């Protein structure tokens, strides 16, 4: 088994590492440990060379480390296991597993075929988007001094000031605060922008919030904590397999990182990943 992890993780990651080493010894399984460098392209190239030797990859980390792993193995026969120990852990939230349950998936779980999103040539596992969320990630610059609250503080700072941007999808353009392309349900360390998103329906849930007044924005995000914002009349929800963003020069954020700029095609790749879940 290949274990992918980010260095300088906290106590939860260290606990997972200790547990994995103990399990490997008890089961007479050899583990190969890959420590990420923080340079996506270099890490991806190395992982693609490694994964052909293994039938299972175990990710210790959050959405960013998970994103790296799925770009290395999506479309292969390699199964992916997750032991969440990142900052936001948004993708893992929709399963509702405890630490013990996540560990049970590694050796005793079953494999479930799930969808992944794709922006041009780059895959994402959870949610991609343009507008406000990309602006927040850009402002953070990869730094999270307050842990998962870093998203909250950066978002509140931008929420009233961000003016929105014109986004064209081919049917005309509109002033948009944020447009999300959701494979998973949660982002920003706990918000639920896509409460009805499914991991195996072959579709992305597209959530579009226009550039409304500041008080409507705060109300929308307050409701997003509980997944109730989609009831607001100005919030658009639709499902599609593919969508094209024609507006040039917009940053695209996915799984907590900036991954591309528009124009771009965003699509759902059905059942492209073998993911370990509970029996």
């Amino acid at each position: 088994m290949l274990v992918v992890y980010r260095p300088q993780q906290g106590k939860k990651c260290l606990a997972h590492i200790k547990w994995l080493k103990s399990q490997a010894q008890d089961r007479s399984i050899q583990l190969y440990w890959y420590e990420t460098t923080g340079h996506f392209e270099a890490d991806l190239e190395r992982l693609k060379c490694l994964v052909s030797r293994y039938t299972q990859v175990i990710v210790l980390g959050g959405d960013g480390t998970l994103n790296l792993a799925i770009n290395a193995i999506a479309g292969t026969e390699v199964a992916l296991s997750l032991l969440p120990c990142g900052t936001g852990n948004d993708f893992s939230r929709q399963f509702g597993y405890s630490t013990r349950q996540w560990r049970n998936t590694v050796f005793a779980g079953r494999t479930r075929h799930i969808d992944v999103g794709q922006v041009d040539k780059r895959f994402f596992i959870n949610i991609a988007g343009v507008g406000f969320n990309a602006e927040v990630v850009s402002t953070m610059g990869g730094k999270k001094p307050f842990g998962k609250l870093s998203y909250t503080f950066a978002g509140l700072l931008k929420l009233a000031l961000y003016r929105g941007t014109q986004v064209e999808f081919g049917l005309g353009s509109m002033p948009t605060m944020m447009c999300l392309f959701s494979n998973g349900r949660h982002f920003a360390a706990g918000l639920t922008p896509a409460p009805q998103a499914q991991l195996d329906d072959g579709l992305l849930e597209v959530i579009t919030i226009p550039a409304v007044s500041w008080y409507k924005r705060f109300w929308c995000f307050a409701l997003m904590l509980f997944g109730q914002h989609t009831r607001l009349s100005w919030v658009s929800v639709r499902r599609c397999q593919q969508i094209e963003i024609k507006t040039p020069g917009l940053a695209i954020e996915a799984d907590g990182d900036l991954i591309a700029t528009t124009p771009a095609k965003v699509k759902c790749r059905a059942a492209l990943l073998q993911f370990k879940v509970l029996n």
Side-chain angles (χ1 to χ4, degrees):
M1 294 181 176
L2 174 62
V3 183
V4 180
Y5 70 104
R6 185 172 63 86
Q8 299 177 344
Q9 290 274 21
K11 293 181 180 179
K12 197 166 188 177
C13 181
L14 294 176
H16 283 321
I17 290 174
K18 182 179 179 180
W19 176 81
L20 273 176
K21 288 180 176 179
S22 174
Q23 289 291 308
Q25 184 176 0
D26 293 345
R27 298 169 184 266
S28 299
I29 296 173
Q30 185 175 4
L31 300 176
Y32 180 89
W33 299 82
Y34 182 83
E35 183 179 282
T36 63
T37 67
H39 300 284
F40 181 85
E41 295 298 338
D43 282 329
L44 181 60
E45 185 177 351
R46 294 186 187 115
L47 282 177
K48 282 185 174 180
C49 292
L50 287 171
V51 293
S52 61
R53 308 175 197 172
Y54 301 92
T55 58
Q56 186 172 342
V57 171
I58 306 169
V59 170
L60 274 67
D63 297 326
T65 310
L66 191 57
N67 181 280
L68 172 64
I70 65 124
N71 275 275
I73 70 172
T76 73
E77 295 301 313
V78 179
L80 177 67
S81 297
L82 174 63
L83 293 174
C85 52
T87 303
N89 299 317
D90 284 309
F91 177 77
S92 67
R93 290 174 187 271
Q94 62 202 303
F95 294 90
Y97 292 170
S98 66
T99 296
R100 176 178 291 183
Q101 288 175 317
W102 278 115
R103 289 179 176 178
N104 287 342
T105 67
V106 176
F107 297 104
R110 65 179 177 87
T111 300
R112 174 184 174 188
H113 285 81
I114 66 172
D115 307 335
V116 298
Q118 184 174 0
V119 177
D120 292 336
K121 296 182 179 180
R122 174 92 176 248
F123 296 119
F124 64 93
I125 187 70
N126 192 42
I127 294 178
V130 295
F132 175 76
N133 59 313
E135 183 72 16
V136 170
V137 170
S138 177
T139 299
M140 292 173 64
K143 299 178 181 179
K144 302 168 186 176
F146 307 106
K148 67 180 182 180
L149 290 178
S150 300
Y151 297 105
T152 303
F153 293 148
L156 289 173
L157 187 63
K158 285 284 183 181
L159 193 56
L161 301 177
Y162 183 65
R163 295 185 177 181
T165 187
Q166 291 290 129
V167 180
E168 181 181 358
F169 295 112
L171 299 174
S173 63
M174 62 178 293
T176 302
M177 179 185 174
M178 179 170 65
C179 184
L180 300 176
F181 314 100
S182 305
N183 188 44
R185 298 177 183 176
H186 307 282
F187 87 148
L191 295 177
T192 307
Q196 301 302 318
Q198 301 293 327
L199 293 173
D200 55 4
D201 63 355
L203 299 170
L204 296 174
E205 186 164 304
V206 182
I207 313 293
T208 305
I209 302 174
V212 292
S213 57
W214 67 267
Y215 65 90
K216 285 187 175 182
R217 297 180 186 188
F218 278 97
W219 179 232
C220 183
F221 273 74
L223 291 176
M224 199 180 292
L225 285 167
F226 311 99
Q228 299 297 312
H229 61 293
T230 55
R231 298 182 179 183
L232 297 173
S233 60
W234 64 83
V235 176
S236 167
V237 182
R238 54 178 166 152
R239 290 181 175 87
C240 63
Q241 193 277 327
Q242 178 174 306
I243 191 167
E244 183 176 2
I245 309 171
K246 294 190 174 183
T247 309
L250 301 179
I252 302 177
E253 177 269 334
D255 298 340
D257 291 310
L258 299 178
I259 66 165
T261 56
T262 59
K265 290 183 179 179
V266 184
K267 64 179 71 173
C268 180
R269 299 292 303 276
L272 202 64
L273 185 68
Q274 298 188 60
F275 190 73
K276 295 292 290 293
V277 296
L278 288 175
N279 283 319

